[in-house]
Amino acid sequence: MLINICDVKPNKINANMKSKFFFFYGEQGTWKTTVASQFPNALLAGFEIGYQFIDGIRAVPMTSWSDMKDLYRQLKTPQAKAMYDTIIFDTISNAYQMCYKYTCGQLGINDPGEAAFGKGWRSIKEEFSIIKEISRLGYGLVFIAHAKETEITDAKTK
């Protein structure tokens, strides 16, 4: 089959943000959360406190992975689906750390490598899949992450 460039139609952007994913990555203080808070009918899952300096944002503090599990349960309700279009995870790395700590605690270990046959890492992956399940509910998702510059040196390079 040959491409016919004379039949190409202009792209039309769908303004509906539902079921779309965005990833904001950058240094702290570069307005990532502020921009994300402007998405339609946004709810921020605050895994850090920076959102407290943004006027008008709807946010829930996430102090543990149990809070995240409760958020997921509530996001499945018709009331939440009618109220919110976008869920913001600020920051996704802090969310992962809470999931890691929660899962290790559930398994009674300090490090996932302590569980035989990869069970620790597998359990973290399964627990963190709550994020994937939220995406299947039809919300638009925004993931916020911080850039961290690190200098690495070895014998030959810096």
Side-chain angles (χ1 to χ4, degrees):
M1 182 170 148
L2 294 175
I3 298 171
N4 184 347
I5 62 169
C6 295
D7 287 338
V8 175
K9 304 289 185 245
N11 185 41
K12 292 184 181 179
I13 296 175
N14 180 350
N16 182 346
M17 301 299 242
K18 287 190 171 189
S19 299
K20 294 189 173 59
F21 309 124
F22 299 87
F23 185 71
F24 292 178
Y25 176 79
E27 294 181 22
Q28 288 183 329
T30 55
W31 297 70
K32 297 176 297 298
T33 305
T34 302
V35 171
S37 72
Q38 302 305 307
F39 278 55
N41 302 315
L43 174 67
L44 184 132
F47 291 92
E48 65 174 24
I49 64 168
Y51 69 87
Q52 294 176 348
F53 302 101
I54 301 172
D55 192 38
I57 192 168
R58 287 189 275 176
V60 289
M62 298 282 115
T63 59
S64 70
W65 191 250
S66 295
D67 291 341
M68 181 65 203
K69 292 170 76 97
D70 187 44
L71 174 65
Y72 170 58
R73 182 186 57 75
Q74 292 183 54
L75 289 173
K76 294 190 287 185
T77 66
Q79 297 88 346
K81 288 182 178 184
M83 190 169 185
Y84 298 109
D85 294 332
T86 308
I87 310 301
I88 305 164
F89 299 95
D90 187 10
T91 65
I92 195 64
S93 59
N94 287 355
Y96 181 80
Q97 288 303 317
M98 284 183 188
C99 178
Y100 180 103
K101 183 177 177 181
Y102 173 87
T103 305
C104 286
Q106 293 294 110
L107 296 172
I109 58 177
N110 293 317
D111 183 271
E114 294 174 21
F117 306 108
K119 181 180 179 181
W121 291 110
R122 189 171 51 255
S123 296
I124 292 169
K125 180 181 176 184
E126 289 168 5
E127 188 65 43
F128 199 68
S129 71
I130 285 176
I131 305 293
K132 182 171 45 175
E133 295 303 317
I134 291 172
S135 75
R136 292 180 177 155
L137 296 174
Y139 295 101
L141 302 183
V142 179
F143 302 103
I144 297 176
H146 291 157
K148 183 177 181 183
E149 193 171 309
T150 304
E151 186 175 291
I152 300 172
T153 59
D154 63 19
K156 297 180 182 178
T157 61
K158 181 177 179 181

